[in-house]
Amino acid sequence: MPDRLDDESLDMTLKQVIISAIDEAIRRGAPSVEAEHLLLAIASGHDAAGRTLAEFGLDHAGVDAALRGERERSLRAAGIEPVAEERLLATRQSRPRWGATVREALRRADFSAHRGRRRAERERLAVADAAVGILRADLGTVPRALAYAGVDRAALVAQLESVSSERES
Amino acid sequence: MTPMAPEPTGPEADDLAAVVALRELADRLEDAAVERAMRTGWSWSQVAEALGVTRQAVHKKHHRRLEIAGIELRRRNA
């Protein structure tokens, strides 16, 4: 349950981002919440992490297009043309399970780096840390999508890490 | 031996990603196709037979979702 509804800061907290990642998974008919859904959720925010992603062309629409491109290429690798979205419309389960890639991304994120900071600031930075955790994956859907979209993943990670190490003034 | 660092878009990665994309497509197509069939009055047994699985398997996998969808489901064994 969200326990910081009274948060004065406009920055998204990791908890809000994770709830929004579940929504992304449901909307896409995914049986599990994966790293790409978390990335979409972070990209739809206007906080430091969201802005940094947008600088690299990865606002929500940018991530969405990159993911779509990756799936189309991967299906074509198996000789399959994309299927029209209207043929895939279905009522979704309200609770997708947690996928391995999102667990792995959150495990990779180093949330302990900001232990000494104020809680609001820690929560703000946690979103950038989660983004780094997602982008550090070298194989799988997200790195493929970014590679095909021409995004310099290493430069993006470096930029997010510098955001994450800035002190709040 | 230094562990190799494969590229995310190399030929082996493409084949593995194709598996992920095909599974995702098959799952979504199954959800959509089962729902469409049940909306037009197919029974669980008929859907199961068409999918080549048991009635129990298809019921277990889809029944909650179709209840949420508000589809009037034909009675047991129908």
Side-chain angles (χ1 to χ4, degrees):
Chain A
M1 286 290 285
D3 58 357
R4 292 191 57 83
L5 294 175
D6 59 341
D7 199 336
E8 292 162 18
S9 131
L10 290 175
D11 288 313
M12 284 204 298
T13 65
L14 188 58
K15 202 176 281 181
Q16 288 170 306
V17 167
I18 286 174
I19 291 168
S20 141
I22 298 171
D23 290 340
E24 291 283 357
I26 294 171
R27 216 174 5 254
R28 280 149 210 276
S32 53
V33 183
E34 300 292 348
E36 57 265 34
H37 304 125
L38 192 55
L39 186 63
L40 281 161
I42 296 172
S44 67
H46 300 289
D47 60 342
R51 284 197 305 272
T52 306
L53 288 172
E55 282 170 26
F56 282 74
L58 295 174
D59 57 2
H60 187 272
V63 176
D64 190 43
L67 290 171
R68 207 181 294 271
E70 190 280 330
R71 278 297 187 261
E72 285 183 11
R73 277 173 186 261
S74 299
L75 284 176
R76 287 213 173 89
I80 306 289
E81 287 297 311
V83 174
E85 276 298 312
E86 56 264 28
R87 280 186 64 205
L88 299 173
L89 289 178
T91 306
R92 305 300 176 197
Q93 293 275 32
S94 51
R95 289 302 299 261
R97 62 179 188 276
W98 294 108
T101 59
V102 81
R103 285 177 194 278
E104 192 59 21
L106 293 175
R107 196 192 55 75
R108 258 192 314 263
D110 183 12
F111 297 117
S112 64
H114 315 295
R115 204 170 275 155
R117 304 202 188 186
R118 289 190 302 114
R119 181 174 173 173
E121 195 187 356
R122 257 189 352 250
E123 290 191 0
R124 179 176 70 84
L125 296 174
V127 179
D129 293 338
V132 169
I134 296 165
L135 296 167
R136 281 234 175 95
D138 290 322
L139 295 168
T141 299
V142 171
R144 284 173 62 80
L146 268 50
Y148 287 134
V151 174
D152 183 343
R153 194 161 49 90
L156 176 53
V157 167
Q159 185 71 26
L160 281 163
E161 281 176 335
S162 79
V163 165
S164 180
S165 61
E166 276 168 21
R167 276 219 169 260
E168 208 174 21
S169 50
Chain B
M1 201 171 93
T2 321
M4 65 175 294
E7 283 297 308
T9 55
E12 294 82 10
D14 282 351
D15 279 350
L16 293 166
V19 174
V20 177
L22 284 168
R23 274 202 190 117
E24 183 190 82
L25 179 62
D27 281 344
R28 294 190 61 199
L29 194 55
E30 178 178 333
D31 282 356
V34 169
E35 185 168 337
R36 236 180 358 253
M38 298 294 283
R39 276 189 198 283
T40 56
W42 286 48
S43 68
W44 287 116
S45 304
Q46 289 163 340
V47 170
E49 195 178 348
L51 286 173
V53 298
T54 64
R55 182 187 174 285
Q56 286 76 10
V58 78
H59 187 269
K60 186 177 173 195
K61 189 166 178 187
H62 296 283
H63 127 270
R64 249 186 70 77
R65 194 173 62 80
L66 298 187
E67 260 184 2
I68 294 168
I71 295 172
E72 200 179 312
L73 304 172
R74 276 167 66 183
R75 286 296 94 201
R76 314 189 75 74
N77 303 322

